[in-house]
Amino acid sequence: MLRTRVIPCLLLQGSGLVKTVRFKSPTYVGDPVNTVRIFNDKEVDELILLDIDASRKQRPPNFQLISEIASECFMPLSYGGGVSNIEQIGQLFRLGVEKVSLNTAAFSNPKLVREASSRYGNQSITVTIDVKKGLFGKPGAYYYGGTKKSGYTPLDAARKMEDLGAGELLVNSIDRDGTFSGYDLDTLAGISSSVEIPVIALGGAARIEHFSEAITQGHADAVAAGSMFVFHGKHRAVLISYPSINELEKALT
């Protein structure tokens, strides 16, 4: 049995799925419900769905669409985007979402992390830390779709969110998003060695070997990827895919 979770991360914009490069230039890749059905057939471990516009446009989650997606999703579903209060978190769980991922709200209203983890259990609350390097190569933690500095280093942000009650961290490299250049192993290793809660690596995966590097060198507990699972070939033709269990077992066990 594969012990490492390998998680497709889907980006929602409006009613469709897109894929970005360094959080910019979204390219349409398909209908979310149909995509979820394909991943069902491929027996995917878990699915992450992030609405990339909700927080920036200051709108709540699209509960109707999330309900449609959750009803078709046979694997655990994590949702993030536009979540700003405890009532919305409760509604998402009632719709069938298993985990709620907070980013903008976690930094702008940290008490929400504590309130949500206390009410629903920390295993249900993930905090996403979007990491970007500054002019002199010093990484910082960002929110609001990667446009606002939190004032924290990634390590300090990770420790703070763990202290607030987050049960899991999704560490996403803005610089590597959609680039197929591999994960930010240094940042992953620093965060993983500084917290006790699980860390999911995201941003830059191009092949299964990158998953192995995230686990063995970045000490991540799980891996997530977007472009790798929706694009094929050098011309980035849209093709929803997922490695076979045998392929994953060879690389990760």
Side-chain angles (χ1 to χ4, degrees):
M1 181 179 177
L2 191 66
R3 290 175 293 179
T4 301
R5 289 175 292 152
V6 178
I7 311 168
C9 181
L10 304 177
L11 304 182
L12 188 65
Q13 186 177 55
S15 59
L17 295 179
V18 298
K19 189 63 197 77
T20 55
V21 177
R22 298 189 178 94
F23 280 33
K24 298 177 181 179
S25 306
T27 299
Y28 179 78
V29 296
D31 173 77
V33 173
N34 288 336
T35 301
V36 165
R37 288 171 178 160
I38 294 172
F39 282 129
N40 284 338
D41 292 339
K42 296 182 179 298
E43 300 182 346
V44 168
D45 295 326
E46 188 175 330
L47 202 60
I48 297 172
L49 178 68
L50 303 176
D51 188 322
I52 62 173
D53 278 347
S55 291
R56 283 185 290 190
K57 293 186 176 180
Q58 298 183 340
R59 62 166 174 77
N62 185 338
F63 294 110
Q64 178 61 42
L65 180 57
I66 295 166
S67 177
E68 294 173 14
I69 294 170
S71 67
E72 292 289 342
C73 193
F74 296 162
M75 75 287 289
L77 175 64
S78 175
Y79 171 82
V83 180
S84 60
N85 58 60
I86 197 71
E87 290 77 16
Q88 292 172 341
I89 293 173
Q91 186 169 353
L92 289 166
F93 288 140
R94 289 190 293 274
L95 293 177
V97 171
E98 186 159 302
K99 296 179 184 178
V100 171
S101 183
L102 302 174
N103 172 252
T104 295
F107 289 101
S108 61
N109 180 22
K111 292 180 180 178
L112 182 60
V113 179
R114 189 179 303 282
E115 183 181 6
S117 61
S118 296
R119 181 174 299 189
Y120 297 108
N122 69 347
Q123 78 285 348
S124 301
I125 304 301
T126 301
V127 169
T128 298
I129 299 176
D130 293 329
V131 178
K132 182 166 65 175
K133 292 182 179 179
L135 291 176
F136 301 103
K138 185 176 180 180
Y142 284 70
Y143 66 102
Y144 210 68
T147 62
K148 290 189 177 182
K149 296 179 180 179
S150 70
Y152 293 101
T153 67
L155 266 65
D156 287 342
R159 294 188 188 106
K160 178 180 176 64
M161 295 308 164
E162 181 181 37
D163 290 343
L164 287 169
E168 187 173 63
L169 300 173
L170 177 62
V171 180
N172 190 7
S173 171
I174 297 175
D175 299 313
R176 292 168 181 261
D177 170 56
T179 65
F180 293 114
S181 57
Y183 294 105
D184 182 349
L185 299 177
D186 290 340
T187 297
L188 287 170
I191 290 176
S192 297
S193 63
S194 299
V195 298
E196 299 296 327
I197 56 177
V199 172
I200 305 172
L202 177 63
R207 53 186 184 272
I208 292 178
E209 288 76 15
H210 286 153
F211 296 161
S212 179
E213 291 172 0
I215 302 302
T216 59
Q217 299 177 45
H219 307 297
D221 299 277
V223 293
S227 295
M228 179 179 169
F229 296 142
V230 299
F231 290 134
H232 176 72
K234 64 181 181 179
H235 297 297
R236 294 196 174 202
V238 175
L239 176 66
I240 307 302
S241 64
Y242 189 77
S244 70
I245 292 298
N246 287 339
E247 290 174 305
L248 292 173
E249 284 179 341
K250 287 180 182 178
L252 299 175
T253 58

